[in-house]
Amino acid sequence: MVYRIMELFYPMVISAVAVLVTLIYTSYLDIRDRRVPFIHWLPMLAVGVTCTSVLLWQMTANVSLVTGYLALVASFLYADYLDNRGRTDSLGLTGYYAESRIFWYFVPVLVLPALSWFVLAPAYSVQLVPWYAMFAGIFGYITWMEYRGWPAPEQKKKGKQKQAAREPNVSDMLGRWYFVLIILIFVSASTMLLMSAGGWGTPALVVLLLSVFCGVFYTFGRMHLFGGADAWALIFIAFCVPVFPFTPLLGVSPLGFLAFSVLINALLLNLVAPVGIFLINILRGNRAPLMYLFFGFPVKGDEIQKEWGFVMEDFEEKDGAVSRRFIGFFDSIRRMYAAEGRVYTKDLREHPEEFTHELSMYKKAGTVWISYAVPFIIPITAGFITAIIFGDFLFAVMKLLAGGY
């Protein structure tokens, strides 16, 4: 499947160019503003989804498969709409996120998988019926709850999840995690269409891999374990260029799934930064527990608003003396998940009135350790370029160790 796709690389070349231009521009925005408005992804997505649909049709002439791919993309966009419905502060997308459009978006989200799995499928499979019923039921329930005004707009905002006075109930849990169930349904349906005699066959692997990869990073973004722009960058790279546009210099990895190679290369390239930070801290004589020497550095407390990064210490004043302690790894993960208790220097700069106590502590402490703040979208961009040209670095190393070169 993958190597046959290699013969028809022109749609992916067009899509890869659109992705590269977008990544370079969004990297600039993230460095400058530490924010990438969602609208900047949409032109790339329009080009990429069109090119991928053309490629899938060229390779399989299976309209059911193409529609299934479009159903997956539509579901992700609809989930983003539900997360941001009613927003008026998203650049150029106030109309897109208008509350009144919910049912206009909901209809194609329901219709596309029905067309793909039943109407246009090579053969009817009764096994897919309960999966579609669950898909329609989950999205239908969430859509109805949204239409009825739940959750309240303030509960959608980052860091406000705990405003509700009552304990989380089934609706709360489903509203937060429903999309994990949607992804599992796509995974199950794709697996059935892969295995069944009258299904899609091996081309179903494309939708299956997209479901798993994109689902993981969407979930990470919802859990605040991954930057929103970074998560969408990887998701849209996967949607726009699911396979290599041509054979890279070091060969194609076994999966042949470009986005995974981009992620691997980005992670490996990103390891350079912690090593460099560690060496700088050692040369400057900065003292801290070993782990923190790799991921942060001290800045002047009275100038912290000029820096970029998350504060890595907690401060407390008692009897005029300031005590400090580093935030533990698991405590940091908990705060990321809860979207609270972490101090971002950008917030100190933009909303100093909300952090008067913290700013006072930082000045009294003299220095404050903060995490380095190189946007991960930069390694993603580098990972995309290197994956396209050279291939998967990890696979190349494993192949070299195995004597493959």
Side-chain angles (χ1 to χ4, degrees), residues 111-346:
V111 169
L112 284 172
L115 289 174
S116 174
W117 299 349
F118 304 115
V119 179
L120 302 174
Y124 178 79
S125 175
V126 70
Q127 293 177 320
L128 287 171
V129 173
W131 293 104
Y132 179 77
M134 285 189 286
F135 174 88
I138 293 169
F139 258 143
Y141 178 76
I142 297 299
T143 298
W144 178 247
M145 293 296 291
E146 278 277 349
Y147 180 73
R148 294 286 300 273
W150 178 94
E154 64 271 11
Q155 288 180 251
K156 288 186 177 183
K157 295 179 181 179
K158 185 177 179 180
K160 302 293 184 181
Q161 288 89 346
K162 293 188 177 181
Q163 283 191 356
R166 65 181 187 277
E167 290 294 322
N169 54 29
V170 174
S171 295
D172 294 324
M173 295 299 295
L174 187 59
R176 185 167 177 80
W177 298 111
Y178 75 92
F179 203 67
V180 174
L181 301 177
I182 295 295
I183 291 301
L184 291 176
I185 290 170
F186 271 108
V187 169
S188 300
S190 301
T191 303
M192 289 182 184
L193 291 165
L194 169 68
M195 304 297 293
S196 61
W200 296 341
T202 54
L205 284 171
V206 174
V207 178
L208 178 59
L209 290 172
L210 286 173
S211 301
V212 174
F213 183 88
C214 298
V216 166
F217 282 98
Y218 182 85
T219 304
F220 281 0
R222 286 293 300 270
M223 294 174 65
H224 310 295
L225 300 179
F226 212 74
D230 304 330
W232 282 120
L234 289 169
I235 290 169
F236 289 153
I237 287 172
F239 282 147
C240 294
V241 197
V243 296
F244 288 83
F246 48 80
T247 304
L249 296 176
L250 300 177
V252 180
S253 58
L255 281 178
F257 187 58
L258 177 65
F260 186 74
S261 297
V262 171
L263 174 63
I264 293 298
N265 287 7
L267 291 173
L268 292 176
L269 291 170
N270 201 42
L271 291 177
V272 176
V275 173
I277 291 171
F278 174 77
L279 294 176
I280 291 173
N281 280 325
I282 295 299
L283 291 174
R284 291 181 177 177
N286 297 328
R287 301 185 64 180
L290 181 61
M291 179 181 71
Y292 301 91
L293 292 173
F294 284 94
F295 299 105
F297 49 86
V299 298
K300 293 181 179 179
D302 56 357
E303 297 182 0
I304 190 172
Q305 291 165 288
K306 300 178 182 179
E307 306 291 341
W308 288 103
F310 285 94
V311 175
M312 301 173 69
E313 298 179 274
D314 282 333
F315 294 87
E316 184 178 353
E317 185 177 16
K318 187 175 183 180
D319 298 328
V322 177
S323 61
R324 59 203 298 168
R325 68 176 182 86
F326 282 97
I327 300 171
F329 175 76
F330 292 106
D331 190 20
S332 178
I333 295 295
R334 180 191 62 77
R335 296 184 188 193
M336 290 172 64
Y337 172 73
E340 63 177 18
R342 303 179 77 212
V343 179
Y344 189 22
T345 56
K346 181 181 179 181

Side-chain angles (χ1 to χ4, degrees), residues 3-12 55 58-59 244-245:
Y3 288 99
R4 289 182 59 204
I5 286 179
M6 293 301 206
E7 301 170 6
L8 298 168
F9 62 91
Y10 292 109
M12 291 296 91
L55 182 67
Q58 287 178 337
M59 284 308 306
F244 288 83

Side-chain angles (χ1 to χ4, degrees), residues 344-362:
Y344 189 22
T345 56
K346 181 181 179 181
D347 295 329
L348 297 176
R349 181 163 50 255
E350 295 181 351
H351 307 286
E353 70 283 355
E354 298 179 12
F355 298 93
T356 54
H357 175 72
E358 288 82 355
L359 289 171
S360 175
M361 289 292 99
Y362 301 154

Side-chain angles (χ1 to χ4, degrees), residues 70-71 74-75 102-115 135:
L70 294 175
S75 294
I102 186 168
F103 291 111
W104 289 100
Y105 297 152
F106 179 52
V107 171
V109 168
L110 279 187
V111 169
L112 284 172
L115 289 174
F135 174 88

